[in-house]
Amino acid sequence: MKILYTADLHGLENLYDDLFTMVRTKRPDAVLLGGDLLPNEGPLEDSMTEQLSFIEKFLGPHLSAIRWQCPSTEWFAMLGNEDWHYYLARLQDLEYQGLLRLLHNRKHLLKNGFEVIGYGHVPPTPFSNKDGERIDQPGIPGEPQISSPCLSTKGGIRHIRREAYFRAQPTMEEELEKLPRSDFPDRTIYVFHTPPHETSLDVLHDGRHAGSRAVSRFIEKRQPFLTLHGHIHESPFMTGRFADRIGNTLCLNPGHTRERLCTVFLEWKDNRFEFNHAFLGTPDAPCHVFCDEPR
């Protein structure tokens, strides 16, 4: 069993091209995309059109091509906080075509008997897109707002009152409790767009921690086998680590750069997972994560 994980590609075609090349070379059984799939380069008023065009003209055709070239590779994906969620329906169209499976609030069975469960929401950010943001836990302040808060709708981008919107939504803590239950926590992989709080995976350029307390608490409580993260692009390069642990759970964030694809490749060998980062290497040499024989 081979798993290729990445996140935060942000519609950068050079990173997607590198990903498709890696898939053709390594032939993983599963590719997991942990959110922020779509571009956000242009002006805010053009961003919905930009993202729709990317799905229709690049992502869909390329997924169709790679599906034909590597038919045994399963693709799993979810939207992140920079993706306009109105276009979830377009990704559902790709799912209906058999090109990918959606992760957010879903549970899927991988080929080696592991379960994968996804959750794409993040704590409030300073940025405009609020589709994928939720209050982390009651009483936890969010980042100060620096851009006009908006949602995506059929009629385009709609400006909102941030605090009123968040009061009308469940918190991340509440949503996490409603995720599909894993049948075997020691064989479960969670994909969270946000990293857990106060780890080596959520450190900003200024040294502050920006991950989710609710996700940290969820991991502490449930102790799944593995969690995969993204969102805080710079954290692995700030801390020098893309792997951390919460109790017995291994947590990974490959990070993001515009110039070079950041991935983690996991391979099941001799009753264990071995994993390494595309260009940061491994935390140890070699790095192994042991668990029981797959069901």
Side-chain angles (χ1 to χ4, degrees):
M1 178 70 179
K2 296 184 288 186
I3 298 172
L4 181 59
Y5 175 71
T6 190
D8 302 293
L9 300 186
H10 289 286
L12 294 169
E13 294 184 11
N14 62 306
L15 299 185
Y16 274 98
D17 288 341
D18 289 345
L19 175 62
F20 295 133
T21 297
M22 186 176 292
V23 170
R24 286 191 292 267
T25 301
K26 291 184 173 290
R27 302 281 171 155
D29 298 286
V31 178
L32 306 179
L33 303 180
D36 281 357
L37 310 176
L38 308 177
N40 58 351
E41 293 288 298
L44 178 65
E45 58 269 20
D46 298 331
S47 58
M48 284 189 68
T49 301
E50 179 186 28
Q51 292 194 4
L52 176 60
S53 177
F54 180 80
I55 295 170
E56 292 182 341
K57 296 181 180 179
F58 183 89
L59 187 59
H62 280 75
L63 285 175
S64 180
I66 199 71
R67 185 69 172 164
W68 180 80
Q69 295 163 347
C70 304
S72 63
T73 298
E74 294 184 292
W75 290 74
F76 301 84
M78 66 187 184
L79 296 174
N81 62 294
E82 289 293 320
D83 300 321
W84 290 116
H85 285 213
Y86 179 75
Y87 292 130
L88 176 62
R90 298 291 180 164
L91 294 188
Q92 289 171 336
D93 289 342
L94 301 182
E95 185 174 42
Y96 297 150
Q97 296 170 41
L99 302 181
L100 56 76
R101 296 184 185 182
L102 293 173
L103 279 171
H104 179 65
N105 283 340
R106 302 268 199 93
K107 179 172 73 171
H108 301 283
L109 187 66
L110 300 180
K111 292 179 181 177
N112 65 343
F114 276 76
E115 294 176 328
V116 59
I117 299 171
Y119 180 76
H121 292 162
V122 305
T125 74
F127 309 115
S128 290
N129 189 337
K130 300 301 164 195
D131 284 350
E133 294 185 6
R134 298 288 187 269
I135 294 295
D136 191 18
Q137 292 176 321
I140 301 298
E143 292 286 314
Q145 190 71 37
I146 62 174
S147 304
S148 177
C150 304
L151 298 175
S152 60
T153 72
K154 182 178 181 180
I157 293 171
R158 177 167 65 89
H159 294 267
I160 61 168
R161 299 175 110 182
R162 186 176 99 148
E163 300 310 319
Y165 171 71
F166 284 141
R167 283 196 300 270
Q169 306 302 318
T171 65
M172 289 181 61
E173 187 174 56
E174 291 168 336
E175 289 186 333
L176 288 169
E177 286 301 312
K178 294 181 179 179
L179 284 179
R181 290 280 180 169
S182 62
D183 295 323
F184 308 102
D186 61 340
R187 303 206 155 272
T188 301
I189 300 170
Y190 282 91
V191 182
F192 297 110
H193 186 53
T194 183
H197 186 64
E198 288 205 343
T199 61
S200 59
L201 311 182
D202 76 326
V203 179
L204 299 171
H205 285 300
D206 61 9
R208 291 181 298 126
H209 292 274
S212 166
R213 292 171 173 85
V215 166
S216 292
R217 187 171 178 271
F218 182 90
I219 296 171
E220 288 171 358
K221 179 181 176 181
R222 299 292 177 87
Q223 288 291 278
F225 174 70
L226 173 69
T227 63
L228 302 171
H229 308 271
H231 186 44
I232 309 300
H233 301 174
E234 64 269 32
S235 189
F237 310 104
M238 293 294 298
T239 64
R241 298 175 62 192
F242 68 93
D244 209 335
R245 281 192 179 273
I246 296 178
N248 293 321
T249 299
L250 177 69
C251 311
L252 305 176
N253 176 6
H256 162 86
T257 71
R258 293 179 59 86
E259 297 78 22
R260 193 168 179 184
L261 179 67
C262 297
T263 64
V264 176
F265 189 75
L266 303 102
E267 186 169 7
W268 183 269
K269 287 184 176 180
D270 301 325
N271 200 30
R272 62 193 178 193
F273 266 124
E274 301 179 1
F275 68 96
N276 71 287
H277 192 280
F279 59 94
L280 293 178
T282 58
D284 304 298
C287 189
H288 304 309
V289 184
F290 293 87
C291 64
D292 297 332
E293 188 68 25
R295 293 181 177 84

